[in-house]
Amino acid sequence: MHFTLIPITLALALPAFASPVETVEKRTAVDFLNPTDGGGSWLDMAAPPLGEPLNVVVSGLSSPELLDLSSGVFLKYAEAIGFDTECLGLHLGGPQSANLGDGRGYVNQTEELRESYGVDGSIGTCLETLEGGNHFRVFPQAGTNAIFLAVSQEQDLENSHNIVPNGYDVGRDALVAGAVGKTTYFDLLEFKTYTFETTAVNMTGLIAPGSNGVNHGIAQDGIVTLLTVTYST
């Protein structure tokens, strides 16, 4: 498995093209546990036997408040990088599940967040529902508290939200480009600013590149991006 650091100064660059890079031979295991080591998979279960790549991981070395999904801080982070809860809180279709190798087997996603098009609140995601855009599913890993994300860019409602060509890589790259560096979210109800600092590392050797086992038969490049997020107010 190989890692590539993405410098903060390249926040707007796509991870696949980040340069210069530094190779990291080892990282502490508390970032996450490799799902395959515990009998899991880097593909979730979308349309059995096909799955969608878990192509972004929020490191277990991130701020504890962020990793505690019950705290609400992760949602503020999602809002800071351009995502929000689903349109009017409504969800169509069944949840996907993932086996993260943490001894729990396949567990349903905890939530699905959609691109908000710069509009505060879930009303913004109604545009994504109609027009298509980026979205991700959330899967926490027991033991490490790392959060695995299945990110993809999808078509509009008329095209049944099918994934766009190269949509797994495109969705991942867009999320990472919007997350790396400093982002903030101001909560009007709390009158409070949430501040996040994000660094990113590209990892290879975890998912085999290509379309084997991948939903919709869409090939992906095999890159998983590890985000480490520091939260402050």
Side-chain angles (χ1 to χ4, degrees):
M1 180 171 59
H2 302 283
F3 302 86
T4 302
L5 291 178
I6 303 174
I8 290 178
T9 54
L10 297 182
L12 297 180
L14 295 182
F17 301 102
S19 181
V21 298
E22 176 184 348
T23 300
V24 180
E25 296 297 332
K26 295 181 180 179
R27 282 185 75 94
T28 176
V30 296
D31 277 322
F32 64 91
L33 296 179
N34 187 340
T36 59
D37 290 343
S41 174
W42 283 95
L43 297 177
D44 70 7
M45 190 63 70
L50 303 178
E52 302 192 349
L54 300 168
N55 49 11
V56 174
V57 179
V58 179
S59 169
L61 295 177
S62 300
S63 294
E65 302 95 333
L66 179 98
L67 299 175
D68 178 5
L69 295 181
S70 66
S71 73
V73 174
F74 182 81
L75 177 58
K76 304 302 181 186
Y77 178 61
E79 291 171 321
I81 64 175
F83 295 83
D84 212 320
T85 54
E86 295 191 273
C87 177
L88 303 178
L90 300 176
H91 176 71
L92 299 177
Q96 296 182 12
S97 61
N99 183 346
L100 302 181
D102 55 11
R104 298 182 298 157
Y106 279 90
V107 178
N108 284 347
Q109 65 194 50
T110 60
E111 57 187 334
E112 185 172 344
L113 300 174
R114 298 184 180 277
E115 187 176 350
S116 61
Y117 284 91
V119 180
D120 197 25
S122 63
I123 295 297
T125 59
C126 294
L127 292 174
E128 195 278 342
T129 298
L130 294 173
E131 301 294 333
N134 215 5
H135 76 308
F136 64 87
R137 302 170 191 271
V138 179
F139 303 94
Q141 185 177 57
T144 67
N145 294 324
I147 302 172
F148 287 62
L149 308 180
V151 190
S152 59
Q153 186 93 3
E154 62 183 3
Q155 297 177 346
D156 58 20
L157 184 61
E158 185 177 352
N159 289 286
S160 304
H161 284 172
N162 288 324
I163 307 301
V164 304
N166 201 31
Y168 299 117
D169 298 344
V170 169
R172 177 204 62 219
D173 290 350
L175 183 148
V176 172
V180 171
K182 181 178 179 180
T183 54
T184 61
Y185 178 77
F186 180 70
D187 190 303
L188 286 172
L189 294 178
E190 299 178 9
F191 205 72
K192 175 181 178 181
T193 299
Y194 291 77
T195 301
F196 304 94
E197 291 278 353
T198 303
T199 60
V201 176
N202 276 350
M203 304 181 292
T204 59
L206 296 170
I207 305 176
S211 61
N212 186 36
V214 179
N215 201 24
H216 305 293
I218 296 175
Q220 45 76 44
D221 60 14
I223 293 174
V224 178
T225 301
L226 179 70
L227 302 179
T228 303
V229 186
T230 303
Y231 156 69
S232 62
T233 56

